[in-house]
Amino acid sequence: MKSQALEFYVVIPARYASTRLPGKPLLDIAGKPMVVWVAERAKSSGAKEIVVATDDLRIVDEVNQYGHQVMMTRADHVSGTDRIAEVALAQQWSDDAIIVNVQGDEPLIEASLIVEVANTLSNHPESVMATACHAIHSKADFLNPNIVKVVLDAQSNALYFSRAPIPYPRDAFATNSDLPDNMPVYRHIGIYAYRAKFLKQYATIQPSALEQIESLEQLRVLHHGYKISVSISQNAPAAGVDTQEDLDYVRSVMR
């Protein structure tokens, strides 16, 4: 008997403002706006419903032209999670619905990763969120503060996320050695699945000092004692678009 596919939703937060790449969601890649490529990738995941959540009418107009669902949200949201919570409330999705946050600057995201994170949350009823990671093998990546690391417990729940090199290999680094072969070092992949009930509570959860110090909003969730399940992916995800160099690379791939 064939098992029934998991039912989940995708929300794509897409802000027009970007300090490094103004109007980033609408930048042209092989003849289409970036955010439209993301919506198409999300559609191929088999999500029940896909909503682009934005604060700008220019994005609304473009997404509508390509036939995807889009919702105008408030401009004063502190984070993408808050924007997604507004969508979940407006769409009246049930409390047990699983909602995947796919960033609007990930035009190369694999549909399989979206499904993987949704399944991880579905398989861990004790968790309110799920995310993903993959192994780091490079000492330079391990030391890079722009690469977020995550440490897991025995059940693959997140213990902590940090821009710092964690866990720190004291003995190896004392002799300037490379990363030990047997050390579990994971790079966090910025994709999240949430239960709708938790999303509706999220705005009432107080920000934490750790979240503000590290500039990592997922630390708010851990600080207040909630569980985040983490899927260990075998492959590193395709590059997102944060800089002009990223954009040039993605354009070359899409061509």
Side-chain angles (χ1 to χ4, degrees):
M1 184 175 173
K2 188 177 180 180
S3 60
Q4 188 174 3
L6 175 67
E7 185 177 286
F8 64 93
Y9 302 85
V10 169
V11 179
I12 304 168
R15 289 178 63 250
Y16 189 85
S18 171
T19 51
R20 286 183 284 190
L21 288 172
K24 182 163 69 168
L26 298 184
L27 292 174
D28 181 86
I29 298 174
K32 294 179 189 174
M34 185 191 310
V35 70
V36 171
W37 284 111
V38 179
E40 290 182 0
R41 293 276 184 165
K43 188 174 182 179
S44 67
S45 74
K48 182 178 181 181
E49 195 173 342
I50 298 151
V51 181
V52 175
T54 187
D55 59 355
D56 195 283
L57 287 171
R58 287 166 288 190
I59 295 174
V60 171
D61 291 342
E62 284 289 329
V63 174
N64 275 330
Q65 281 187 39
Y66 285 89
H68 297 287
Q69 188 174 356
V70 60
M71 178 178 159
M72 189 74 176
T73 54
R74 290 180 7 223
D76 61 346
H77 285 306
V78 176
S79 69
T81 306
D82 293 301
R83 195 173 305 281
I84 293 166
E86 182 182 345
V87 174
L89 283 166
Q91 298 296 99
Q92 298 183 324
W93 290 330
S94 65
D95 281 353
D96 61 352
I98 290 175
I99 301 161
V100 181
N101 170 359
V102 176
Q103 296 298 320
D105 57 5
E106 300 275 355
L108 298 178
I109 191 166
E110 294 289 345
S112 58
L113 179 61
I114 299 172
V115 176
E116 182 180 323
V117 173
N119 275 316
T120 298
L121 186 56
S122 177
N123 293 334
H124 292 86
E126 73 283 1
S127 298
V128 297
M129 282 174 60
T131 188
C133 70
H134 69 89
I136 292 176
H137 303 291
S138 158
K139 187 175 181 179
D141 286 348
F142 183 56
L143 297 175
N144 184 346
N146 294 317
I147 292 176
V148 178
K149 276 68 69 175
V150 59
V151 174
L152 309 179
D153 69 13
Q155 286 75 45
S156 288
N157 294 312
L159 284 172
Y160 193 65
F161 298 87
S162 183
R163 299 182 183 280
I166 58 171
Y168 191 83
R170 184 196 65 176
D171 295 342
F173 279 12
T175 57
N176 292 317
S177 300
D178 287 331
L179 296 178
D181 291 336
N182 62 346
M183 188 173 84
V185 182
Y186 297 113
R187 175 179 185 162
H188 177 228
I189 302 171
I191 183 171
Y192 299 98
Y194 314 85
R195 298 189 195 282
K197 182 178 181 180
F198 176 70
L199 269 180
K200 294 166 188 177
Q201 298 169 341
Y202 182 82
T204 66
I205 300 172
Q206 289 296 312
S208 70
L210 289 174
E211 166 192 2
Q212 294 164 342
I213 291 165
E214 294 253 23
S215 293
L216 297 172
E217 66 173 291
Q218 63 269 38
L219 291 176
R220 182 188 315 187
V221 180
L222 295 184
H223 175 80
H224 288 283
Y226 297 100
K227 287 188 181 296
I228 301 176
S229 289
V230 185
S231 168
I232 302 173
S233 294
Q234 296 307 306
N235 302 309
V241 178
D242 287 317
T243 65
Q244 183 63 46
E245 290 75 19
D246 296 336
L247 180 63
D248 293 341
Y249 171 74
V250 171
R251 281 173 169 165
S252 70
V253 170
M254 299 297 253
R255 274 200 299 270

